[in-house]
């Protein structure tokens, strides 16, 4: 299967934030979907490797910031290519707090939603959270970024040096070596070895 066919689905890119024991964290997700309007409910699938996943699972609350086409690649690097287990993602960035006490992005986002989890389902590598939307606001009229737009216009095209290895087709991470382990997980975007291609 050509996994790039999945890039044609029209879903967006978002920053999912949570707070636990006085600590804020967030990560990039691409699976926020409204499932009903009455009651107003959304779902989001979150990779279990993310610290934000564990915080949402334990607290039952999260915010979603809807990223725009004006968001620079640095936004994706900051929220998606490093782990909150290793760094404090709140240092030296501008955030605001909604009524539920969680942060959202006032810049590079056109809206935020606050939500409370009512049900979760284990999907293996991810957990699917079903949540009631409790608050939200429009922040700008800038166009929302889609995953397809990100792939075509934001993500830099990797320019590998003369090295033996494999490059992640999602984020551009380069694994150096002759053989890529079958169970390898990209340290930047958390995608599996099947999303890597050999460096030509």
């Amino acid at each position: 299967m050509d996994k790039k066919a999945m890039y044609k689905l029209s879903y967006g890119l978002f920053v999912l934030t949570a707070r636990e024991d006085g600590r804020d964290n967030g990560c990039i997700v691409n699976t926020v979907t409204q499932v009903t309007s009455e009651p107003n409910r959304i779902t989001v699938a979150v990779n279990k490797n993310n610290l934000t996943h564990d915080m949402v699972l334990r607290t039952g609350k999260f915010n979603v910031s809807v990223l725009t086409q004006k968001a620079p690649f640095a936004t994706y690097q900051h929220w998606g290519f490093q782990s909150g287990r290793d760094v404090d993602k709140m240092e030296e960035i501008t955030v605001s707090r909604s009524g539920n006490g969680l942060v959202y992005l006032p810049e590079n986002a056109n809206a935020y939603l606050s939500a409370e989890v009512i049900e979760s389902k284990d999907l293996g590598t991810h957990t699917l959270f079903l949540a009631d939307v409790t608050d939200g606001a429009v922040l700008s009229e800038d166009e929302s970024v889609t995953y397809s737009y990100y792939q075509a216009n934001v993500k830099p095209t990797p320019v590998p040096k003369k090295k033996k290895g494999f490059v992640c087709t999602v984020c551009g991470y380069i694994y150096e070596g002759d053989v890529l382990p079958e169970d390898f997980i990209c340290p930047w975007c958390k995608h599996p070895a099947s999303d890597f291609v050999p460096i030509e």
Side-chain angles (χ1 to χ4, degrees):
M1 174 183 172
D2 181 359
K3 291 205 171 185
K4 289 186 179 177
M6 301 300 292
Y7 298 170
K8 302 301 183 184
L9 293 175
S10 59
Y11 43 88
L13 285 168
F14 315 90
V15 173
L16 179 79
T17 51
R19 181 174 176 83
E20 183 179 30
D21 297 331
R23 181 180 181 190
D24 296 295
N25 195 56
C27 65
I28 295 283
V29 294
N30 63 354
T31 54
V32 178
T33 305
Q34 183 178 18
V35 290
T36 60
S37 57
E38 290 294 333
N40 191 7
R41 288 180 173 163
I42 58 175
T43 58
V44 59
V46 189
N47 191 306
K48 291 179 181 177
N49 289 328
N50 292 325
L51 174 61
T52 310
H53 166 276
D54 297 348
M55 295 170 83
V56 172
L57 191 64
R58 290 189 292 256
T59 66
K61 294 183 180 181
F62 62 86
N63 278 358
V64 173
S65 297
V66 183
L67 294 175
T68 74
Q69 293 180 3
K70 291 184 178 179
F73 184 63
T75 300
Y76 302 94
Q77 287 178 304
H78 180 83
W79 295 103
F81 294 175
Q82 58 185 350
S83 173
R85 299 183 198 283
D86 304 322
V87 298
D88 181 357
K89 293 187 183 181
M90 299 301 147
E91 283 187 356
E92 300 179 10
I93 62 164
T94 302
V95 295
S96 296
R97 287 195 190 277
S98 58
N100 64 359
L102 305 184
V103 302
Y104 66 89
L105 276 61
E107 300 173 358
N108 302 315
N110 58 18
Y112 80 85
L113 300 172
S114 297
E116 292 188 8
V117 176
I118 59 170
E119 190 175 335
S120 61
K121 180 168 180 59
D122 190 328
L123 301 180
T125 59
H126 292 63
T127 298
L128 181 69
F129 297 103
L130 173 65
D132 283 329
V133 176
T134 58
D135 195 11
V138 173
L139 305 174
S140 81
E141 296 304 321
D142 295 335
E143 288 292 321
S144 301
V145 68
T146 64
Y147 196 51
S148 179
Y149 181 92
Y150 168 81
Q151 291 291 332
N153 301 287
V154 180
K155 182 183 86 171
T157 303
V159 184
K161 299 174 184 173
K162 299 290 182 183
K163 297 178 182 176
K164 287 187 176 181
F166 301 81
V167 61
C168 178
T169 59
V170 176
C171 70
Y173 176 83
I174 295 174
Y175 175 89
E176 294 183 33
D178 294 326
V179 178
L180 180 69
E182 290 183 10
D183 61 349
F184 185 77
I185 300 295
C186 180
W188 284 2
C189 68
K190 308 296 188 276
H191 279 70
S194 58
D195 286 322
F196 281 73
V197 295
I199 296 173
E200 299 295 333

